[in-house]
Amino acid sequence: MTEIVTGLLIGAGGSIINFISTKIYNKITGSSKNFIWFNKDINLKNFKISDDFDELKKRIRIIVIDDENSFPTKLFKDEGYSLDKWDTVSDYSKLENGFFDIIILDIKGVAQHISEEDGLGVLVSLKKNNPAQIIISYSQHSYDLSKIEFFQLADDNIAKPSDYLKIKSILDNLISSQFKPERYITTLNQTLLKNNIDEKNIKKIKVEIARSIKTKKLPDWNNSLEFIQNRTDLVKQVKSLGETIIKFFR
C-alpha cells in the first residue's frame, strides 16, 4: 500500500513539475507547447461567431460624423442599429483604437480642429493605423481629383443627401460581406509580416489574443508586445486589430 501511495505521489509530482516547466518555457520563448509538449496550432479562424444579421446589426457600433443633419439617424435606431452621431470628431482616440466597427465620415467640416485636410486627413490616418477599419465616405462634394484619395481609401461611398433605403443597402452589404473576423485576422498577419516580425513573436501575439477570447479577460499587451515597445505605430496597429478580433467573440 505504501509503495502504491509513493508511486502516486511521485507521478503527481512529476506531472506538476512538467506543467510548471511548460508554463515557464512558453513564457520565455513565446511558444505554445501544451502539457505533453506538443505545439498547439493557434488558428484564430477556428473560433466561431454568430452570423445572424439581426444580432450583428445590434452589436456593431456605428458612428456617423457629419456637421449637418441629413443622415436618417432615427430611422436606423428604430430598426435596431447601434448608431451614434457626432457633428465633428469629438474623441479621436475612440476612432483610432477600433471602438467603432463602422465609421461613416463626412469629408468637410468635421475635423478642421485636428487636421488641415479635415475629413480626408482623418481617413488617411485611420486607414494607416488600421487598414481593416471599415469607413464609408459621406459627402455632397464632387468626386474631383483633389478628393480622389478620400474616395479610394473608403470601403464604400454614400452621396449626400441619400435616402434611408439607399444608405441601408450599402450599410447592410458591408455588414454582411466585410464585418468578419477573417478580415481583421488577415490584416493582422499581413501587418506583422510586412514589419518583419518573426514567427515566434507572431505566435506570441496570437496566443495572447486566443487567451483573451477563452478567458474573457483583457489581453496583456505589455507582455505580448514587449519586443516592439519602441515601435509606437506598430504597437497601435496590433492593439487596434487585436482588440477588434477579440470583440467578435464576446
Side-chain angles (χ1 to χ4, degrees), residues 8-248:
L8 289 173
L9 289 173
I10 291 172
S15 296
I16 291 170
I17 291 170
N18 188 41
F19 176 78
I20 293 171
S21 298
T22 59
K23 291 294 184 183
I24 294 172
Y25 176 85
N26 291 345
K27 181 77 172 177
I28 294 172
T29 65
S31 181
S32 55
K33 291 184 181 298
N34 62 19
F35 183 65
I36 53 175
W37 290 81
F38 287 118
N39 276 318
K40 299 175 187 175
D41 180 20
I42 304 300
N43 187 350
L44 296 173
K45 294 181 182 179
N46 288 337
F47 290 95
K48 303 299 181 185
I49 65 165
S50 171
D51 58 359
D52 179 73
F53 183 80
D54 286 335
E55 181 182 330
L56 277 177
K57 75 179 185 181
K58 291 175 183 177
R59 64 181 290 198
I60 290 175
R61 293 185 182 128
I62 304 167
I63 183 68
V64 178
I65 308 174
D66 178 30
D67 61 330
E68 298 177 343
N69 293 313
S70 59
F71 194 90
T73 304
K74 185 177 184 303
L75 288 174
F76 277 98
K77 286 185 174 181
D78 289 346
E79 283 294 315
Y81 293 81
S82 178
L83 185 145
D84 291 318
K85 182 181 181 297
W86 295 346
D87 292 336
T88 60
V89 175
S90 58
D91 190 345
Y92 182 75
S93 64
K94 276 191 173 181
L95 304 180
E96 191 176 42
N97 66 20
F99 179 85
F100 294 106
D101 303 303
I102 297 178
I103 300 169
I104 301 173
L105 180 64
D106 193 2
I107 191 172
K108 191 172 181 181
V110 296
Q112 292 172 331
H113 58 296
I114 59 173
S115 172
E116 291 181 358
E117 296 182 305
D118 211 342
L120 174 60
V122 171
L123 176 57
V124 172
S125 178
L126 291 176
K127 281 293 190 179
K128 179 182 178 183
N129 180 62
N130 180 357
Q133 174 67 61
I134 298 174
I135 304 178
I136 303 172
S137 71
Y138 183 58
S139 176
Q140 62 187 5
H141 296 275
S142 60
Y143 195 103
D144 60 49
L145 291 178
S146 68
K147 307 296 187 298
I148 193 168
E149 185 180 14
F150 180 85
F151 294 100
Q152 287 178 337
L153 281 175
D155 294 278
D156 214 322
N157 307 288
I158 298 174
K160 182 167 64 169
S162 290
D163 64 35
Y164 167 73
L165 291 179
K166 186 177 291 186
I167 297 173
K168 185 178 184 301
S169 175
I170 292 172
L171 190 56
D172 288 356
N173 179 61
L174 280 174
I175 292 172
S176 300
S177 65
Q178 299 299 319
F179 190 70
K180 299 178 183 296
E182 291 81 6
R183 172 187 176 99
Y184 302 88
I185 293 167
T186 298
T187 303
L188 176 62
N189 287 333
Q190 291 172 344
T191 299
L192 294 171
L193 292 173
K194 181 181 176 182
N195 283 275
N196 300 314
I197 305 303
D198 60 43
E199 184 179 345
K200 182 187 79 172
N201 283 315
I202 290 176
K203 182 177 286 188
K204 187 175 182 180
I205 292 168
K206 290 181 178 179
V207 167
E208 185 57 32
I209 292 172
R211 185 199 66 80
S212 180
I213 292 169
K214 289 178 179 179
T215 63
K216 301 187 185 304
K217 294 181 179 179
L218 294 174
D220 182 2
W221 293 126
N222 287 335
N223 177 54
S224 58
L225 300 182
E226 184 179 12
F227 66 99
I228 53 169
Q229 284 303 324
N230 61 330
R231 301 174 64 181
T232 308
D233 287 347
L234 182 55
V235 169
K236 277 185 183 179
Q237 291 171 354
V238 173
K239 282 185 176 181
S240 180
L241 287 163
E243 287 171 11
T244 301
I245 293 166
I246 292 166
K247 276 197 306 182
F248 277 96

